[in-house]
Amino acid sequence: MKHFNALTLSALLASAAVPALAQEKGDFLLGLGLGWIEPDSATTTAVGRVSADGALSPTITLEYFIAKNVGVELLASLPFEHDVDLAGAGQVGETKHLPPTLSLQYHFTNSSAFTPFVGVGINYTYFFDEKGKGPLAGVSLDLDDSWGLALHAGADYAISEKSAVRLDVRYIDIETDVKVGGAQIGKVKIDPWVFNVAYVMKF
């Protein structure tokens, strides 16, 4: 009877085991999510302090594992749209941008459902559809594209052996030259934090 109880207990524990999202060389992870980008601070320029507001957009990530627990990830998204504000004048413009980011990542070995990871990479930010607004309505506004360092950290919570819910955050170094009416007014540091939640699938 004791032998039977031990077998029954082992079977119950096995059936209740939490899945782990293990990554081996050659695996792919596809993530579909929603990201919020929050610029870090305002920057003083020749015309005053310039800042941009936060924005929300769908995101997609694709990661290929070049070794066990080590992956190369590409982040893409639909365009983020920002209002550009000038201290004392309110909104003076708007812009859209795409922030493709390539990162090298390490996923910590973990037998539980919770698997943290860290990464470092490079970001390219493409600005487009810049428009002057308010006091700058009708005046050309131009933001140069940017290259910068990107840091990444987060965790996957496995809901099966092939899928997980991901929470992650990135810090991206974005600095752009801004021109108003063709005249350069200075560099604007955007340096955003990007918060993301996603559904991740392993192939």
Side-chain angles (χ1 to χ4, degrees):
M1 186 68 175
K2 290 182 179 180
H3 181 63
F4 175 76
N5 287 339
L7 289 175
T8 303
L9 180 59
S10 296
L12 288 173
L13 289 174
S15 65
V18 179
L21 192 69
Q23 295 93 10
E24 301 291 339
K25 181 178 179 180
D27 286 346
F28 282 94
L29 286 184
L30 174 66
L32 303 175
L34 196 61
W36 175 265
I37 186 166
E38 183 66 30
D40 190 40
S41 62
T43 302
T44 300
T45 68
V47 296
R49 288 182 65 78
V50 175
S51 62
D53 68 349
L56 186 71
S57 185
T59 61
I60 182 170
T61 57
L62 182 63
E63 184 171 7
Y64 174 72
F65 283 80
I66 58 176
K68 182 178 180 180
N69 297 341
V70 180
V72 176
E73 183 204 65
L74 177 65
L75 164 71
S77 72
L78 292 179
F80 288 91
E81 184 171 345
H82 301 273
D83 292 337
V84 179
D85 299 320
L86 179 65
Q91 185 183 357
V92 294
E94 65 181 25
T95 185
K96 297 178 182 178
H97 85 271
L98 292 170
T101 304
L102 187 67
S103 299
L104 180 67
Q105 306 199 138
Y106 180 77
H107 298 250
F108 294 92
T109 299
N110 198 328
S111 59
S112 74
F114 183 78
T115 306
F117 60 87
V118 292
V120 62
I122 189 167
N123 165 264
Y124 172 70
T125 299
Y126 169 64
F127 293 96
F128 64 102
D129 279 359
E130 301 101 319
K131 298 176 183 175
K133 294 287 185 177
L136 294 183
V139 179
S140 65
L141 177 65
D142 181 69
L143 282 72
D144 284 351
D145 298 343
S146 167
W147 289 91
L149 180 70
L151 304 176
H152 190 203
D156 294 330
Y157 185 84
I159 54 179
S160 75
E161 292 182 354
K162 295 287 187 178
S163 62
V165 174
R166 171 173 292 185
L167 296 174
D168 62 285
V169 60
R170 299 174 198 264
Y171 178 78
I172 302 177
D173 176 24
I174 300 178
E175 185 175 302
T176 177
D177 289 322
V178 179
K179 294 180 181 177
V180 176
Q184 186 166 327
I185 65 169
K187 291 182 180 292
V188 172
K189 292 180 179 291
I190 299 174
D191 295 346
W193 292 92
V194 184
F195 303 94
N196 193 66
V197 58
Y199 177 70
V200 178
M201 297 161 282
K202 185 174 78 171
F203 297 93

